[in-house]
Amino acid sequence: MYDAAILWDWFAFAVRWLHVITAMAWIGASFYFIALDLMLKPADDMPEGATGEEWEVHGGGFYHTTKFMVAPARMPEHLTWHKWQSYWTWLSGAALLMIVYWVGGELYLIDTAKADLSLFTGILISGASLTLGWVIYDFLCKSKLGDTPTALMLLLFVMLVVMSWGYHQVFTGRAAMLHLGAFTATIMTANVFFIIMPNQRIVVADLKAGRTPDAKYGKIAKLRSTHNNYLTLPVIFLMLSNHYPLAFATQFSWIIAALVFLMGVTIRHYFNTMHRTGTGPHWTWAATALLFIAIAWLSTANTWGDGATTEARVPNAYEETFMAAEGFDAAHTIVMGRCSMCHAQEQFWSDTLLWAPKAVVLDTPADIARNARAIYLHAGVSHAMPPANVTYITDEERLALVSWYKNANEY
């Protein structure tokens, strides 16, 4: 049924909303505790075992926080665990990845011009890479490299660069960026689930049993938590990148993604240092600006050459269904007249558009058929496209697009 497209889109919206809500909660908690940890100061009247305290003011009241490096002498009756934000962020993100890039894989996941893979193979690569990434990362952290955090971070960066390149050899630019973000987020959530929380449970169990907890568990958890702190901002960039073709749909998108991780380090280094010392190193602003300029420069790589054209692709079975449906000729005429001037390989609608918005190209009948669902939702059911109706598409034309989509789903 064609109504399934509307229900599916609202379901995807609900999952995306959940993902954003839980991500804000997780990121907010992560940033707060890193800042709190760095701002702790010693005091003369602290209880035994405490390593620092912090006074804060918020919401009309004062808060007094004391940190125990290992654990307090007495286990408090009420203990708040910060874990569900991380778990639900990953679960909702994984569900969203499946909705957009697995179910919609023929459009958004596989780029046959890069690798002629079946959708099933692409899904296997998608899921397996996330699991493999955590296994390799965890092995590195548990090796002797764990005693040299700087070397470990450098090796982690190399792994992320390799994954960025690898994803861009197989997937669409949009899917490659998103998967690199999911790859990183999987490491972050697995850190919480497999390392940080179990170590904290060991400490709590030791306290309840009257044993002195081993300080190594806190040290291990701190290393993983620090990694999460530095990886957060790049993940946000990668998750937002699908709105900007200049980020995901250019020749050197895999390098852009790698540079984003360096920007995350410079930004977090500034704020982490500021929280610890009261002032941040100002060179990080210059470094961040230079990295961003380099990213913007790399995004124009498609304009450096002579503009090689893309060869026409043979339509697949999905596209053929929509091309054969009643009303396609009318829909084709409407799209070519109202949409393709922006959604084209070569832009001529505006000097401000270097690439088609969201990298959606509607030059050929196969292009239009491949994007049938998006056309139906954005220009048929809703009036999202064209923006401000700049090409004056009529209500009758919108109804014709809806009719074509209905016919194709009943074909």
Side-chain angles (χ1 to χ4, degrees):
M1 293 292 292
Y2 66 90
D3 287 339
I6 297 175
L7 294 175
W8 188 252
D9 212 52
W10 275 109
F11 175 65
F13 192 172
V15 175
R16 189 181 299 275
W17 193 20
L18 173 64
H19 185 54
V20 170
I21 291 171
T22 55
M24 287 193 298
W26 183 20
I27 293 167
S30 172
F31 281 6
Y32 172 74
F33 278 107
I34 287 290
L36 176 63
D37 193 56
L38 293 170
M39 291 188 293
L40 291 169
K41 300 293 187 295
D44 295 333
D45 58 347
M46 291 190 303
E48 183 180 355
T51 58
E53 67 174 14
E54 175 68 9
W55 284 88
E56 300 175 271
V57 58
H58 181 75
F62 294 87
Y63 297 81
H64 183 204
T65 304
T66 304
K67 179 177 180 178
F68 296 83
M69 184 56 73
V70 179
R74 179 185 60 84
M75 174 57 59
E77 294 182 3
H78 175 70
L79 187 62
T80 301
W81 297 78
H82 292 271
K83 56 182 180 178
W84 294 110
Q85 305 100 313
S86 173
Y87 299 164
W88 277 106
T89 298
W90 189 88
L91 289 170
S92 58
L96 195 58
L97 183 146
M98 295 176 188
I99 291 170
V100 176
Y101 295 97
W102 290 12
V103 177
E106 291 183 337
L107 179 59
Y108 295 120
L109 182 63
I110 301 298
D111 187 343
T112 55
K114 296 178 179 179
D116 190 10
L117 303 174
S118 67
L119 177 57
F120 179 73
T121 302
I123 292 173
L124 283 180
I125 294 173
S126 170
S129 65
L130 304 184
T131 303
L132 183 62
W134 160 251
V135 171
I136 295 174
Y137 164 80
D138 187 53
F139 172 79
L140 293 174
C141 287
K142 291 178 178 177
S143 70
K144 292 182 179 180
L145 284 169
D147 297 326
T148 54
T150 302
L152 180 59
M153 281 291 286
L154 289 174
L155 193 55
L156 174 59
F157 175 68
V158 171
M159 182 172 72
L160 291 170
V161 173
V162 171
M163 288 306 303
S164 179
W165 178 84
Y167 279 137
H168 277 87
Q169 304 311 303
V170 178
F171 296 151
T172 65
R174 173 176 168 172
M177 285 284 205
L178 190 285
H179 275 77
L180 186 62
F183 178 90
T184 309
T186 298
I187 288 174
M188 295 168 65
T189 296
N191 273 337
V192 176
F193 185 79
F194 291 112
I195 303 299
I196 297 173
M197 292 309 301
N199 284 3
Q200 289 178 338
R201 291 191 186 97
I202 291 173
V203 171
V204 170
D206 284 342
L207 281 173
K208 289 181 177 180
R211 298 186 296 268
T212 300
D214 193 330
K216 73 175 184 179
Y217 296 111
K219 180 182 177 182
I220 294 171
K222 179 68 180 297
L223 174 67
R224 304 299 183 101
S225 181
T226 301
H227 287 173
N228 283 6
N229 176 250
Y230 279 98
L231 292 173
T232 299
L233 293 181
V235 169
I236 296 174
F237 181 100
L238 293 169
M239 295 306 178
L240 294 175
S241 66
N242 60 23
H243 295 284
Y244 297 94
L246 284 174
F248 72 78
T250 59
Q251 184 176 347
F252 296 115
S253 293
W254 68 275
I255 300 178
I256 289 175
L259 294 180
V260 166
F261 281 96
L262 295 181
M263 279 204 304
V265 170
T266 56
I267 294 171
R268 286 313 306 164
H269 180 64
Y270 174 84
F271 285 103
N272 290 344
T273 305
M274 183 183 68
H275 293 317
R276 185 175 62 251
T277 65
T279 181
H282 295 295
W283 64 264
T284 58
W285 289 96
T288 303
L290 289 174
L291 286 168
F292 197 82
I293 291 171
I295 286 173
W297 178 71
L298 284 170
S299 71
T300 65
N302 288 6
T303 65
W304 296 350
D306 297 327
T309 58
T310 303
E311 294 183 1
R313 184 175 54 81
V314 176
N316 58 32
Y318 175 86
E319 295 159 357
E320 288 177 346
T321 298
F322 283 92
M323 292 168 65
E326 182 181 351
F328 175 73
D329 290 339
H332 178 269
T333 300
I334 294 167
V335 171
M336 294 302 292
R338 308 296 192 184
C339 312
S340 64
M341 61 283 297
C342 291
H343 291 280
Q345 290 284 359
E346 296 184 12
Q347 291 296 309
F348 59 88
W349 171 259
S350 171
D351 292 337
T352 62
L353 289 177
L354 296 179
W355 288 273
K358 295 290 186 71
V360 174
V361 175
L362 302 174
D363 280 335
T364 68
D367 291 333
I368 295 171
R370 183 166 63 257
N371 291 280
R373 182 172 174 272
I375 293 170
Y376 166 69
L377 292 173
H378 298 161
V381 176
S382 75
H383 291 191
M385 289 291 161
N389 200 20
V390 293
T391 58
Y392 304 104
I393 185 172
T394 66
D395 290 340
E396 289 75 16
E397 288 172 328
R398 294 187 190 277
L399 289 174
L401 295 176
V402 171
S403 177
W404 163 58
Y405 187 84
K406 290 180 181 179
N407 292 335
N409 280 274
E410 294 171 357
Y411 188 77

